[in-house]
Amino acid sequence: MINHNWAIQMADSIMVRTPKLYEDKGHLGKWSYDYGVVLKGFELLWKQTGDSKYYQYIQDNMDHFIQEDGSIQGYRLDEYNIDHLNNGKLLFVLYKETGLEKYKKAAELLRTQIETHPRTSEGAFWHKEIYPYQIWLDGLYMGSPFYLEYSLAFEAGANLDDITKQFILCEQHTKDAETGLLFHAWDEKRIQPWCDPETGLSQNFWGRSLGWYLMALVDVLEILPADHKDYKVLVRILNDTLSALKPYQDAESGVWYQVVNLADRKGNYLEASASSMIAYAIAKGIRLEVLDNSWYGTLDSAYNGLIAEFITTTKEGLVNLNKNCQVAGLGGADQRDGTFAYYISEPIITNDQKGLGAFLQACGEYEYLQR
């Protein structure tokens, strides 16, 4: 029995607060991957409820960027930024529903980036051209599900091995032997100021980066043919990574910390986006039957924790998601160094789009399981 349908309440609140996602504070009309996180939540809710207003919200927001010739306002292929593929996930449902060629052409344009996107010596995508020879956990969510859906929709399932390889190489290079957790990033050249000069690894286990990786895994497992040679490998990686996170679930609240393994360090805090992403991965994993039912206890605790720890409702009935890390990364012009002090120094905000989208997707999956 569900007391609240938080997915619907959150989606409706988002539509009231930000009818145009690209006009939200700080976005300035950019082709930002955040929109895709939110809109995938709307796609899930539209499929579950059949309410056309959720589909219309997707189309209205995407049509600001997708031009009639299939070009994308604000997108530059030559930046080779894996983040810029994320919004492309919405083009498939728009093309399927409307048959309009502009959506297919826009997807083709993003697919062109994959063809020439720079890679490590083993074939893993660089996170961005400005971050050479680096695998970040974040990038798996941004690129791989789009690449897979495009392959299945328009290329008769070509390149599936290339897609699964991204996850396998990422785990291979970022996994900590002691905890089983995945470090935020790895530098193949071992020259970045933030990395260990011997291992190439960043210093910490950042909650949201683990969340991105887990969301990517379940999104890929949903459509990857179950007879593919790496399907069971990805199922194993999902189970292992979640099992590594389980001991760090806060016993009292049911959610996870910004730096997941350092709960007792001063300044660390329970973080909304990572907790939502982990809850989403568990709920979807159960639905897809790639996680067994023993995960229900962890999931129930996480879902209840999301509501109790992070949600407030205004007197007008709008839902707010609090305690979101605004952004975190490594290197760049400001030399983000990956220390504990760095991760807790980034702004903590309310209603960050990445957090909202992850919360919306987590609630959509969890509440569906409860029906």
Side-chain angles (χ1 to χ4, degrees):
M1 183 75 179
I2 311 167
N3 295 325
H4 293 91
N5 192 326
W6 287 105
I8 285 174
Q9 289 189 69
M10 179 56 83
D12 291 352
S13 298
I14 291 169
M15 287 192 292
V16 170
R17 270 196 306 261
T18 49
K20 298 173 180 176
L21 290 170
Y22 47 88
E23 291 183 352
D24 198 7
K25 51 189 178 293
H27 285 278
L28 306 172
K30 290 182 293 195
W31 174 249
S32 173
Y33 68 87
D34 304 47
Y35 316 143
V37 190
V38 174
L39 296 177
K40 283 301 287 184
F42 274 82
E43 182 184 357
L44 178 62
L45 196 54
W46 169 62
K47 286 177 177 174
Q48 289 176 348
T49 65
D51 192 330
S52 62
K53 71 180 180 182
Y54 300 126
Y55 170 81
Q56 196 59 51
Y57 186 75
I58 297 169
Q59 189 171 25
D60 290 347
N61 274 277
M62 290 294 286
D63 276 353
H64 175 73
F65 295 96
I66 308 304
Q67 308 303 299
E68 288 306 312
D69 62 357
S71 61
I72 300 170
Q73 185 175 308
Y75 169 72
R76 279 182 47 201
L77 187 153
D78 61 3
E79 285 183 34
Y80 290 110
N81 181 342
I82 204 88
D83 290 344
H84 287 168
L85 301 181
N86 188 54
N87 297 337
K89 296 170 184 176
L90 284 307
L91 296 168
F92 303 107
V93 68
L94 290 170
Y95 180 63
K96 187 177 178 185
E97 288 300 303
T98 66
L100 293 175
E101 283 297 310
K102 67 175 184 176
Y103 297 124
K104 185 180 181 184
K105 287 177 180 175
E108 287 169 354
L109 174 60
L110 296 175
R111 174 65 180 86
T112 304
Q113 178 182 323
I114 294 171
E115 210 57 44
T116 49
H117 194 95
R119 298 173 180 242
T120 66
S121 63
E122 297 167 299
F125 296 121
W126 295 5
H127 190 61
K128 302 179 184 180
E129 188 167 50
I130 60 168
Y131 299 140
Y133 296 96
Q134 297 166 44
I135 301 175
W136 295 20
L137 300 183
D138 322 31
L140 276 293
Y141 179 80
M142 305 302 163
S144 296
F146 168 79
Y147 187 7
L148 176 57
E149 193 161 358
Y150 189 93
S151 171
L152 294 172
F154 302 122
E155 297 176 333
N159 303 301
L160 298 191
D161 294 359
D162 190 34
I163 295 157
T164 57
K165 177 174 72 175
Q166 304 300 319
F167 291 94
I168 294 165
L169 288 172
C170 185
E171 188 210 29
Q172 184 182 313
H173 289 300
T174 63
K175 189 172 184 174
D176 176 48
E178 190 179 332
T179 62
L181 295 169
L182 307 182
F183 289 100
H184 185 178
W186 174 73
D187 170 25
E188 181 178 27
K189 296 294 186 184
R190 295 162 172 77
I191 58 172
Q192 295 301 322
W194 50 258
C195 82
D196 181 303
E198 290 190 15
T199 65
L201 287 162
S202 59
Q203 297 177 48
N204 281 289
F205 306 114
W206 178 40
R208 188 154 76 219
S209 67
L210 280 151
W212 287 130
Y213 185 77
L214 290 164
M215 288 182 85
L217 274 167
V218 291
D219 288 354
V220 161
L221 284 166
E222 183 173 33
I223 58 175
L224 182 70
D227 60 358
H228 186 271
K229 67 180 180 63
D230 293 329
Y231 181 88
K232 288 180 179 174
V233 180
L234 298 197
V235 170
R236 193 270 305 156
I237 293 173
L238 175 69
N239 277 270
D240 286 0
T241 308
L242 282 169
S243 295
L245 275 164
K246 201 171 183 178
Y248 300 105
Q249 183 179 29
D250 182 57
E252 188 177 341
S253 67
V255 292
W256 281 266
Y257 278 85
Q258 164 78 340
V259 180
V260 293
N261 63 323
L262 299 176
D264 298 331
R265 284 280 295 272
K266 185 179 179 184
N268 207 359
Y269 60 95
L270 299 168
E271 202 278 327
S273 66
S275 300
S276 297
M277 290 171 176
I278 296 164
Y280 167 77
I282 297 170
K284 188 164 182 173
I286 292 170
R287 175 170 69 79
L288 298 176
E289 300 181 352
V290 292
L291 296 176
D292 65 36
N293 288 342
S294 70
W295 283 97
Y296 267 110
T298 306
L299 175 60
D300 290 340
S301 179
Y303 174 81
N304 291 328
L306 292 180
I307 310 307
E309 187 67 32
F310 303 124
I311 290 295
T312 53
T313 306
T314 70
K315 64 180 185 293
E316 296 83 14
L318 298 180
V319 178
N320 290 317
L321 184 72
N322 305 299
K323 302 185 193 176
N324 297 268
C325 170
Q326 185 171 24
V327 68
L330 295 160
D334 49 358
Q335 288 304 310
R336 299 170 294 182
D337 62 6
T339 57
F340 174 82
Y342 163 68
Y343 284 111
I344 65 163
S345 73
E346 287 287 11
I348 303 166
I349 66 170
T350 296
N351 296 334
D352 173 77
Q353 287 188 18
K354 298 174 288 296
L356 293 174
F359 178 83
L360 186 54
Q361 293 186 59
C363 291
E365 287 290 348
Y366 180 82
E367 292 164 359
Y368 181 81
L369 285 177
Q370 307 309 303
R371 289 189 172 93

